[in-house]
Amino acid sequence: MTTTQLIAIEEGKKQRSRLTKMVERAIRSTLGSQYPHTYIYSPPGLGKSFSVNRYLNSNNALYFEVSGAVSMFAFGISLATIKWSFPNQKVIISVDDCDVLFKNEEHINIMKNVLSGSKVYAYQKNINAQIGNLSELQKAAIEHFATDHQMGFRVPCDNFVFIFTSNFKLPTDDEATKTRVKNISSRKTHLNAIRSRCNTLDLELNKLGHYGWLGDVMLNDMNLQKNYKEEILDWVWRNWDCLNERSIRTLEKMHQSIIDDPSNYIEMWEIDFLNEDALWT
């Protein structure tokens, strides 16, 4: 491996350490802390959620993985079930893919109240038609938190600490200010309010940082033969600009190719992982 590659991997290790420290802060936070929640942004494919959940598990934290790529009703059902099961214990909610949760101002306002202020998840639509699709546990939780006439439910979130991982960056103060000045859609302003309620980590990685992150994962966290690891990382480095996808899954697939076809895997890598234009250059 070249000196530049090794420097990149050291940088990747530092960036992964930043993520670990953010998760550690969430674990150590106490109920009633003003800013216990965390929002982690980075390019896709780095295994953010995997890294977060593995660290939570290794530290014996009480946590649940909840998808953010579901309807607000489904997200609320998950919160209600967890709250009903653990009414007073501190629970970390690990949320991956937050596009739906923050897709419009209505949803954002619901989440703003969850993260601060009332710390209540309020679903205010009729739920009669949806009750039949729930499990018995979910029904019991919803009945416990239902409002009058089954027009919705309210889940106290005072013992929840949220860790969001996303490929979507929340607007900074400067970006939100520019939006207000230009009188454009206020969605950025509302998303900036979410940012203000969380400890935020923006992993805006350049080529060296991105490659280094993947390299550090492969060298230290993947159970592969050392010579395979280095061959894969060298090939990825040489072909970085032509890759279709720059992710941990790509590294795993490349390793599988070596196992499946040890005499022809380089050709398969070119077919599977390089964009078509690169094959003709």
Side-chain angles (χ1 to χ4, degrees):
M1 300 180 74
T2 68
T3 301
T4 305
Q5 286 173 265
L6 294 174
I7 292 173
I9 290 170
E10 280 302 309
E11 176 62 23
K13 182 179 295 185
K14 291 178 184 177
Q15 295 300 327
R16 293 185 71 206
S17 176
R18 293 175 66 201
L19 181 147
T20 298
K21 289 176 181 176
M22 294 292 281
V23 178
E24 183 178 359
R25 179 195 295 182
I27 293 173
R28 291 183 177 180
S29 65
T30 57
L31 292 181
S33 299
Q34 187 174 6
Y35 299 108
H37 312 296
T38 299
Y39 189 101
I40 301 170
Y41 154 79
S42 84
L46 298 185
K48 296 182 294 297
S49 297
F50 172 80
S51 297
V52 167
N53 295 332
R54 188 179 64 173
Y55 192 78
L56 290 171
N57 188 61
S58 67
N59 283 272
N60 298 314
L62 176 58
Y63 79 99
F64 289 87
E65 299 177 51
V66 178
S67 174
V70 295
S71 68
M72 293 303 284
F73 175 77
F75 185 75
I77 293 297
S78 295
L79 298 186
T81 305
I82 295 169
K83 179 66 176 181
W84 190 69
S85 303
F86 301 92
N88 299 311
Q89 293 174 261
K90 174 184 170 182
V91 181
I92 296 178
I93 311 294
S94 176
V95 186
D96 182 33
D97 193 350
C98 312
D99 290 357
V100 175
L101 298 185
F102 302 129
K103 76 174 185 177
N104 57 42
E105 291 181 25
E106 177 187 0
H107 290 187
I108 295 169
N109 284 330
I110 291 174
M111 293 306 300
K112 283 162 63 175
N113 289 328
V114 168
L115 298 176
S116 66
S118 66
K119 295 187 178 181
V120 170
Y121 180 97
Y123 188 85
Q124 298 176 322
K125 298 178 181 179
N126 191 300
I127 61 176
N128 286 329
Q130 297 161 293
I131 289 292
N133 298 321
L134 303 181
S135 69
E136 293 303 313
L137 175 62
Q138 291 171 331
K139 288 178 182 177
I142 287 302
E143 288 173 3
H144 183 77
F145 296 113
T147 56
D148 293 339
H149 309 298
Q150 297 293 300
M151 284 301 294
F153 55 94
R154 294 172 59 84
V155 183
C157 298
D158 50 307
N159 61 319
F160 292 166
V161 174
F162 290 88
I163 301 178
F164 302 97
T165 53
S166 178
N167 303 327
F168 175 77
K169 180 185 174 184
L170 294 174
T172 63
D173 289 348
D174 288 345
E175 290 166 341
T177 299
K178 290 177 182 178
T179 297
R180 286 193 293 268
V181 169
K182 294 180 180 179
N183 198 28
I184 308 175
S185 167
S186 60
R187 181 169 176 265
K188 276 193 175 182
T189 302
H190 288 281
L191 287 172
N192 176 251
I194 295 294
R195 185 185 188 96
S196 72
R197 287 161 167 77
C198 297
N199 298 306
T200 306
L201 176 60
D202 291 333
L203 294 167
E204 297 186 276
L205 306 178
N206 57 19
K207 174 183 176 179
L208 290 181
H210 195 154
Y211 172 85
W213 181 294
L214 298 180
D216 184 58
V217 171
M218 168 153 276
L219 291 175
N220 297 300
D221 293 338
M222 296 176 71
N223 188 25
L224 312 176
Q225 294 183 25
K226 182 179 179 182
N227 60 315
Y228 287 172
K229 293 180 179 182
E230 293 187 357
E231 182 175 7
I232 290 170
L233 289 176
D234 283 342
W235 190 89
V236 167
W237 175 257
R238 293 194 305 272
N239 294 283
W240 182 265
D241 293 334
C242 301
L243 292 174
N244 289 317
E245 182 182 337
R246 303 174 181 94
S247 68
I248 292 171
R249 290 188 185 278
T250 296
L251 304 183
E252 292 173 335
K253 291 175 184 177
M254 291 176 71
H255 175 251
Q256 189 62 46
S257 294
I258 298 176
I259 296 173
D260 293 342
D261 192 355
S263 64
N264 199 41
Y265 60 86
I266 294 292
E267 182 178 349
M268 296 311 301
W269 288 356
E270 293 176 350
I271 294 172
D272 290 342
F273 307 120
L274 297 184
N275 61 61
E276 188 174 350
D277 291 342
L279 298 177
W280 295 96
T281 57

